[in-house]
Amino acid sequence: MKDRLKLINFVMIVAFIVSLLLAVANEFLKERKNTNVRNDKKESILGAVGIDTDAMTYDEMVTFFDQNISEMIIDTFGNIIDGIDPKDLKWVEDKSNGRTMFLYDNKESPYLPIYYSSSPQGYIIPISGKGLWSTLKGYFAIGQDKNTALGITFYKHKETSGLGGEVDKDWFQDQFTFNKNKKIFNDQGELVSISLNQRKGTQGKKHEVDGISGATVTSKGLTNFLKSDLKRYEYFLKDSYVAE
């Protein structure tokens, strides 16, 4: 009996020590993990404006970002809000539709993050929503004119490779580059966004790009949440603000 009690005590002590070490390690690595997440997002933001970071070291990418990209906070009326640290805006996914909610003081807020690129000049907004199998999260860039698409990237999704996963491919993302002249506003000044057309042949069509063959649900999902996220920034995109 005594030997059994000793064994039980020994196991409990070992379990406690292991749990303690894991808790300490988790806390120690938490900030590093958060830093890596932030830097992965930085790489995606640069990709949205056409910056190829493959030839850069990790430190070079971070330095380039810090020198060329500035983050601002705006409200839903398009006003730039000073005095709020972007780090205090929490990004939380609405599991029902994949939409990102931005919380301030743990409450859903009227504040939105937006990034300004000095070279090339333009604005970048976060986009997210449901595809077929997963939530797609990425960035959409608009030129200095606040109308012409500059680029699109995705940093997280679990769509099927060869189908919805084609959102990662150059052929798809190249359709959103500045030289393709895709517009988010029509000639009447209405925000119509850019939709994915499953019938293809969208060259010369200002508000459409080719959809992904065999990925109807992903294409429709992206069409819907891109417009929905642009709508959040509509007042800002319509005003005459030009970043210094």
Side-chain angles (χ1 to χ4, degrees):
M1 179 64 71
K2 289 183 179 180
D3 290 341
R4 181 179 294 180
L5 288 175
K6 286 181 180 179
L7 178 62
I8 292 173
N9 288 335
F10 175 76
V11 171
M12 291 180 64
I13 291 171
V14 170
F16 173 76
I17 293 173
V18 170
S19 298
L20 182 62
L21 290 174
L22 288 174
V24 171
N26 183 65
E27 190 63 30
F28 178 76
L29 295 173
K30 184 177 180 180
E31 183 55 36
R32 180 179 295 180
K33 180 180 178 181
N34 290 339
T35 298
N36 288 339
V37 169
R38 287 194 295 269
N39 288 340
D40 285 344
K41 287 184 176 181
K42 289 180 179 181
E43 187 172 7
S44 295
I45 290 168
L46 291 174
V49 292
I51 303 299
D52 184 4
T53 59
D54 288 344
M56 298 181 185
T57 66
Y58 198 70
D59 289 341
E60 287 172 342
M61 182 276 294
V62 172
T63 299
F64 186 90
F65 181 95
D66 293 341
Q67 292 175 343
N68 292 276
I69 306 291
S70 55
E71 184 174 6
M72 302 178 291
I73 300 296
I74 64 172
D75 63 21
T76 50
F77 294 101
N79 302 305
I80 298 172
I81 305 299
D82 296 320
I84 295 180
D85 190 330
K87 292 187 181 67
D88 292 334
L89 208 61
K90 295 182 180 178
W91 300 33
V92 179
E93 179 184 339
D94 183 337
K95 298 297 183 181
S96 67
N97 55 22
R99 192 171 191 251
T100 298
M101 300 181 293
F102 300 105
L103 307 185
Y104 185 69
D105 286 340
N106 294 318
K107 298 177 182 178
E108 188 165 9
S109 72
Y111 304 131
L112 302 167
I114 190 167
Y115 304 86
Y116 178 73
S117 169
S118 60
S119 179
Q121 292 182 318
Y123 302 90
I124 307 103
I125 67 169
I127 57 174
S128 64
K130 291 291 187 182
L132 175 59
W133 302 112
S134 67
T135 296
L136 292 87
K137 298 182 180 182
Y139 294 96
F140 180 73
I142 309 118
Q144 182 76 2
D145 63 357
K146 297 185 177 181
N147 189 16
T148 308
L150 195 57
I152 193 169
T153 57
F154 293 94
Y155 62 88
K156 183 179 181 181
H157 72 80
K158 294 181 181 178
E159 298 300 280
T160 306
S161 179
L163 295 173
E166 291 291 294
V167 296
D168 282 338
K169 303 299 183 182
D170 289 342
W171 77 263
F172 178 76
Q173 296 187 4
D174 285 348
Q175 297 182 96
F176 293 85
T177 53
F178 192 77
N179 65 320
K180 295 302 192 307
N181 201 36
K182 302 296 181 178
K183 308 290 185 179
I184 62 173
F185 288 99
N186 64 18
D187 294 339
Q188 289 72 48
E190 300 167 324
L191 196 156
V192 295
S193 187
I194 298 169
S195 60
L196 276 64
N197 188 333
Q198 292 300 97
R199 291 173 294 180
K200 314 289 185 175
T202 59
Q203 295 85 351
K205 296 182 179 180
K206 293 191 294 184
H207 309 298
E208 296 179 7
V209 296
D210 289 354
I212 303 168
S213 297
T216 302
V217 175
T218 302
S219 296
K220 286 183 177 179
L222 203 165
T223 293
N224 292 336
F225 71 71
L226 177 58
K227 184 173 183 179
S228 176
D229 281 322
L230 283 169
K231 278 287 186 181
R232 296 165 115 178
Y233 292 83
E234 183 171 8
Y235 283 103
F236 176 82
L237 295 171
K238 275 188 171 181
D239 74 16
S240 59
Y241 173 77
V242 177
E244 296 294 328

